[in-house]
Amino acid sequence: MDRRKFMASSAVATAAALGCSRETATAPDLPVLGDLDVAWKKAPCRYCGTGCGVEVGLSEGKVVAVRGDELSPVNRGLLCTKGYHLPGMLYGKDRLTQPLKRKSSGEGFEPISWDEALDLIATKFSETLQEHGPEAVAMYGSGQWTVFDGYAALKWVKAGMRSNNLDPNARLCMASAVMGFVTQFQSDEPMGCYDDFEVGDDFVLWGNNMAEAHPVLYSRILEHKRKNPHVHIVDIATRRTPTTDFADMYVQIRPSTDLALANGILHLLVEQGAVNRAFVEENVVFKRGIEDLDTIGYGCYGDQADRYTFSDSAQDSSYDEFVDFLALYTPEKVADICNIPSAQVKTLAELYGDKQRGTVSLWCMGVNQHVRGTWMNNLINNLHLLTGKISRPGNNPFSLTGQPSACGTVREVGTLSNRLPADMVVNKPEHREKTEKLWGLEPGTINPKPGYHTVDMFRALARGDIRAMWVQTTNPWVSLPNLTRWERTPDDGRFVVVSEIYPTPSTAQADLILPSAAWVEREGIFGNTERRTQHWEKMIEPPGEAKEDAWQIIQVAKRMGYENLFPWPDDDWHKPMYEEYRQFTLGTGKDVASYEQLQETRGLRWPVVDGKETRYRYAAGHDPFVEKKEGVHFYKAKGFGEKAAIWLRPYHPAAESPDEEYPLWLTTGRVLEHWHTGSMTRRVRELHQAVPVGYVELNSADAQELQIADGDKTRVVSRRGEVVLPAKVHQGRGQPPRGLVFVPFYDEARLANLLTLDAMDNISKEPDYKKCAVRLEKV
């Protein structure tokens, strides 16, 4: 449906009381709102990185309804279907309500007290540290962690245990965007904001199904287009999706050829004189890294299959070398690589080169989950740097995020294996020194050696190098690639803790399960895609004995003798913890708002100086750290002379391509109704009934050739595993071309990641979930 119909139907649902849970854990319907005395409070949505404002309806100690917050500048009262059904995710009948320890037989679990559980964790981690050292312990967190959770984990792991084996599931979705920004601006996160959606002229979506993954943001673009017919949307993708239905131009590329396409556009910008030479000379340097494919590899073959530690090396380059490098990427050559008409390459170059029109590039997993994801981020940023279309309203490269605090917690707090808060890293002495001073640590406490990134962390767990691991707020035994690698047995000598709100395949792998408080059952702070930090208060009690994730970490840390890291009262620690974290950001250009400011507002976009938020980073007149009267100043890029870097990045093929035995491309992704691994949305009756099972979507010509009809049970087989799924031939929302199939990854009973390859980006170490080879067999 179009946006107006969507908004009208959504409004009907705004104040609906909700039933919840999937078939195996159905909860009773909640009362009709008219019978209740309802109080409303503000919170950001629990799901994606958009950061929609929600008003939460409370009655008799329960969440009974939600409605879009009309005061939120993010969504202006609109929610997507997941947002309107938020209460249901709290009330599934199988909520975890008490700590559970695996029985000595290895089969099943038995309840234990919190004291027993916390003592057990402290003992196991302490013994592991003593016997095997800090490289043998690990914590695996999440872009769904609140700022409190992530900051508590950062202090416990890096200051307490002196380990850097702390990494998040955001490594699987946003790490390439992080490294794209860091390698070019020496600071993470976008310079633009959602305001671009009302002022841009051309919106180029690179592998980004916004209609399903970010529907509220897409609706803002569509409303802008409805009011301004000159606005154009370009959808660059490997299959048609609901996003394509609203696009003015669809560019269907062969998987993994986006690098060639971007270089082809850059080639034409140079050839046609569309380069903003004055901007480039004032604000840009040129860099080149290691490009040899044999040297780089894919992180999954040979010696790299155990640990992938490739490190890029930057060399100075020049504009002239850049021009020579691009000479290979003629429209005809690019058209052949991408399997598109050369006219489309020329049209895209005209679009980016038009000085009279604002251009916004948008991307998410299609670019980031890529064996050269950082390179692809670099090339999109290059398009804006070369034309000067950056840090201006309606002119920006804008990476979208998939989790509610992948930015605020992972990227800003620094819960990555090499990071510290506010863009700092563990391998820089001055960054360690600042951290040690703020935390009151002895010099030399922070370990200078980066820890395991996510895939290598689980490889280390599988081979026994990591002996104790704690997993919070994520479901790795569904979301990791090449899942057969990570299966474990109860007697493997490892100790795994999982904090969750529901039973999942990951809790089934645990030795100890801890019940966690969810969303408004605890106080929290998230940071969204546009640098907006948002706070909510605790509104209801969690079920049973469930506890906040940060509280769990703090209690274990104290039992291990790290009381000095958490010197606040047990009943009043949220504000002082946040304000301590905030000290890292002040004066850096990443200044977050104060605790009181967050309480009073619908969030503020950093840097926040003198109570004022910043819409456009690096821009004169917008960013308080820019002293120039006009133009831009990339002041965070100290190593580049406070200029941004354009990188020369060549086209490389995918790690695995179709062949005679496995003749089809497989790509994975999301659907509108479900989020991530479905552990929350599949327990909401309405969402589960809308899309109850995973499926394989294929082209009708391929289906005819394979004699597969719509609904047929179909075995999808890769070199790593297989899964049986119903086929969607004529009824799928997406329309894959011949030779490509699509499988969503939300269904824990039909695991798409049994098929995927643990190849990864050479710089960010983010896995490529979008490209591997499979065959189909009718069951």
Side-chain angles (χ1 to χ4, degrees):
M1 64 178 68
D2 63 30
R3 183 179 186 273
R4 281 170 286 179
K5 290 180 181 177
F6 174 63
M7 290 179 71
S9 65
S10 296
V12 175
T14 297
L18 302 172
C20 51
S21 293
R22 54 185 176 163
E23 295 165 332
T24 57
T26 302
D29 289 342
L30 296 174
V32 177
L33 283 190
D35 300 332
L36 301 175
D37 181 16
V38 180
W40 298 90
K41 294 185 177 182
K42 73 174 178 75
C45 179
R46 174 59 181 80
Y47 292 123
C48 79
T50 299
C52 289
V54 174
E55 287 193 279
V56 183
L58 306 167
S59 181
E60 299 179 0
K62 296 190 73 173
V63 176
V64 295
V66 295
R67 61 190 183 198
D69 186 351
E70 294 182 2
L71 297 180
S72 169
V74 172
N75 54 308
R76 304 165 183 176
L78 180 66
L79 297 174
C80 75
T81 186
K82 293 185 291 295
Y84 282 119
H85 291 85
L86 266 168
M89 55 81 65
L90 297 172
Y91 296 118
K93 282 189 175 179
D94 57 344
R95 274 293 296 267
L96 296 169
T97 59
Q98 55 188 332
L100 300 170
K101 179 185 175 183
R102 185 175 294 279
K103 294 179 180 178
S104 57
S105 65
E107 298 294 327
F109 295 85
E110 58 188 1
I112 60 173
S113 71
W114 267 107
D115 280 336
E116 290 174 302
L118 297 170
D119 287 343
L120 178 60
I121 300 170
T123 298
K124 290 288 188 180
F125 274 81
S126 295
E127 290 175 350
T128 302
L129 285 169
Q130 184 174 358
E131 296 173 14
H132 304 284
E135 288 199 4
V137 297
M139 187 161 206
Y140 185 56
S142 171
Q144 300 159 61
W145 260 346
T146 68
V147 167
F148 303 118
D149 303 331
Y151 192 67
L154 188 76
K155 294 191 80 174
W156 176 56
V157 176
K158 300 199 175 189
M161 296 191 292
R162 303 189 179 193
S163 173
N164 286 319
N165 287 339
L166 170 67
D167 220 48
N169 65 358
R171 178 75 68 176
L172 310 180
C173 57
M174 292 313 306
S176 295
V178 171
M179 294 312 299
F181 286 123
V182 168
T183 55
Q184 294 185 271
F185 307 98
Q186 296 194 326
S187 181
D188 186 20
E189 298 196 48
M191 53 290 299
C193 62
Y194 296 163
D195 296 14
D196 286 331
F197 300 153
E198 279 76 46
V199 292
D201 298 304
D202 298 312
F203 297 87
V204 185
L205 280 55
W206 290 85
N208 184 15
N209 180 12
M210 284 186 75
E212 293 197 85
H214 296 90
V216 171
L217 297 183
Y218 199 45
S219 75
R220 286 182 60 167
I221 296 174
L222 294 181
E223 182 68 2
H224 177 47
K225 179 177 171 62
R226 183 184 70 83
K227 293 177 178 178
N228 301 279
H230 72 277
V231 171
H232 291 157
I233 298 172
V234 179
D235 182 26
I236 303 171
T238 58
R239 64 187 258 274
R240 288 181 175 269
T241 67
T243 299
T244 316
D245 296 340
F246 299 93
D248 298 277
M249 176 177 167
Y250 174 56
V251 183
Q252 184 173 284
I253 61 172
R254 184 179 285 123
S256 207
T257 61
D258 46 2
L259 290 156
L261 177 58
N263 276 320
I265 299 169
L266 290 165
H267 168 91
L268 287 174
L269 290 173
V270 170
E271 186 178 80
Q272 296 172 359
V275 176
N276 188 332
R277 291 300 299 272
F279 180 91
V280 169
E281 289 172 8
E282 181 180 357
N283 299 294
V284 171
V285 297
F286 290 84
K287 296 289 179 179
R288 196 163 191 170
I290 298 171
E291 299 170 7
D292 178 66
L293 178 55
D294 291 336
T295 301
I296 297 169
Y298 292 111
C300 62
Y301 301 126
D303 293 340
Q304 294 178 347
D306 266 342
R307 189 164 189 184
Y308 189 36
T309 59
F310 170 83
S311 179
D312 200 15
S313 177
Q315 304 294 325
D316 290 338
S317 186
S318 65
Y319 180 78
D320 290 341
E321 186 178 16
F322 178 64
V323 172
D324 291 342
F325 167 83
L326 292 172
L328 173 67
Y329 296 96
T330 64
E332 294 72 27
K333 178 69 173 179
V334 169
D336 182 60
I337 294 172
C338 298
N339 194 31
I340 60 174
S342 61
Q344 289 192 323
V345 187
K346 296 174 183 177
T347 299
L348 285 165
E350 291 170 3
L351 181 154
Y352 275 102
D354 190 338
K355 296 179 176 63
Q356 306 305 313
R357 293 176 65 84
T359 307
V360 180
S361 299
L362 295 152
W363 69 97
C364 199
M365 303 310 165
V367 165
N368 294 330
Q369 292 176 337
H370 192 314
V371 289
R372 297 295 178 263
T374 300
W375 288 10
M376 192 57 215
N377 274 267
N378 290 157
L379 294 183
I380 296 174
N381 291 332
N382 284 357
L383 291 167
H384 289 266
L385 288 168
L386 200 65
T387 56
K389 290 186 171 186
I390 193 167
S391 291
R392 293 192 284 133
N395 277 297
N396 280 298
F398 201 106
S399 123
L400 299 173
T401 46
Q403 298 187 85
S405 205
C407 290
T409 301
V410 172
R411 298 162 72 168
E412 293 161 27
V413 173
T415 60
L416 292 136
S417 59
N418 67 323
R419 296 284 288 271
L420 294 166
D423 281 339
M424 296 195 299
V425 290
V426 298
N427 56 318
K428 288 194 174 182
E430 63 271 25
H431 293 176
R432 297 196 304 275
E433 181 182 0
K434 177 178 178 178
T435 304
E436 288 162 351
K437 285 181 178 179
L438 281 172
W439 284 349
L441 305 174
E442 291 292 325
T445 299
I446 303 295
N447 189 338
K449 180 183 177 182
Y452 291 112
H453 57 80
T454 291
V455 174
D456 275 2
M457 180 184 287
F458 280 85
R459 289 171 174 176
L461 179 70
R463 64 178 179 261
D465 289 346
I466 287 178
R467 312 289 294 184
M469 178 187 283
W470 193 348
V471 177
Q472 282 192 341
T473 330
T474 186
N475 193 7
W477 275 273
V478 175
S479 61
L480 286 170
N482 193 5
L483 278 173
T484 52
R485 287 200 65 172
W486 324 121
E487 294 175 358
R488 61 183 299 260
T489 59
D491 59 352
D492 63 5
R494 283 56 130 189
F495 178 69
V496 175
V497 185
V498 176
S499 298
E500 253 294 357
I501 64 173
Y502 287 111
T504 67
S506 297
T507 61
Q509 297 282 335
D511 300 291
L512 179 66
I513 302 169
L514 300 181
S516 291
W519 193 36
V520 295
E521 295 168 354
R522 43 81 54 89
E523 181 177 351
I525 293 175
F526 283 159
N528 80 345
T529 300
E530 64 164 352
R531 298 174 279 108
R532 182 180 299 276
T533 312
Q534 301 186 79
H535 171 271
W536 73 94
E537 65 180 79
K538 179 179 178 179
M539 301 180 195
I540 58 173
E541 292 297 324
E545 301 173 27
K547 301 288 187 182
E548 180 175 352
D549 292 305
W551 178 90
Q552 299 172 22
I553 297 167
I554 292 169
Q555 296 306 311
V556 168
K558 289 181 176 180
R559 281 167 166 78
M560 293 178 67
Y562 308 140
E563 298 94 337
N564 61 306
L565 299 177
F566 304 98
W568 312 295
D570 285 344
D571 60 350
D572 186 23
W573 52 269
H574 290 89
K575 179 180 176 179
M577 174 187 278
Y578 175 78
E579 290 296 345
E580 179 185 278
Y581 155 64
R582 182 171 173 254
Q583 297 306 306
F584 282 95
T585 72
L586 298 181
T588 69
K590 305 200 78 169
D591 311 46
V592 294
S594 71
Y595 185 85
E596 287 82 3
Q597 289 169 332
L598 296 181
Q599 285 183 308
E600 295 167 359
T601 65
R602 262 57 177 181
L604 292 171
R605 293 171 287 198
W606 57 260
V608 178
V609 177
D610 296 330
K612 296 179 181 180
E613 67 175 359
T614 299
R615 294 198 303 154
Y616 295 97
R617 297 179 76 193
Y618 312 126
H622 289 279
D623 189 331
F625 289 88
V626 174
E627 297 179 357
K628 296 169 65 174
K629 292 184 178 180
E630 60 182 22
V632 301
H633 179 200
F634 298 113
Y635 58 87
K636 295 288 287 183
K638 305 295 185 186
F640 300 150
E642 299 190 358
K643 296 183 177 184
I646 283 179
W647 284 84
L648 286 62
R649 300 297 198 188
Y651 162 70
H652 278 184
E656 182 178 87
S657 298
D659 56 19
E660 186 174 344
E661 186 177 3
Y662 298 94
L664 301 169
W665 287 104
L666 168 70
T667 189
T668 66
R670 295 181 180 174
V671 296
L672 173 66
E673 293 82 358
H674 289 295
W675 191 74
H676 272 215
T677 62
S679 58
M680 292 182 288
T681 53
R682 291 184 71 231
R683 286 171 168 85
V684 179
R685 180 188 300 119
E686 294 85 349
L687 301 178
H688 176 63
Q689 289 177 344
V691 189
V693 298
Y695 54 86
V696 56
E697 184 183 85
L698 67 157
N699 182 273
S700 57
D702 288 331
Q704 184 175 9
E705 184 176 296
L706 294 166
Q707 299 184 335
I708 294 173
D710 194 75
D712 281 353
K713 289 185 177 180
T714 305
R715 182 176 290 108
V716 187
V717 185
S718 76
R719 288 179 172 84
R720 292 152 295 282
E722 61 183 57
V723 60
V724 175
L725 299 159
K728 278 191 180 290
V729 181
H730 303 295
Q731 299 178 5
R733 297 172 194 168
Q735 300 173 39
R738 289 214 67 173
L740 183 143
V741 299
F742 169 81
V743 176
F745 71 95
Y746 71 86
D747 189 348
E748 66 185 32
R750 299 162 183 83
L751 295 169
N753 284 318
L754 291 171
L755 305 168
T756 51
L757 177 66
D758 53 336
M760 66 191 90
D761 178 68
N762 56 315
I763 297 172
S764 72
K765 308 304 188 286
E766 179 171 339
D768 190 335
Y769 291 90
K770 302 298 183 182
K771 299 170 284 292
C772 70
V774 298
R775 67 172 182 266
L776 301 187
E777 301 170 355
K778 183 176 178 180
V779 176

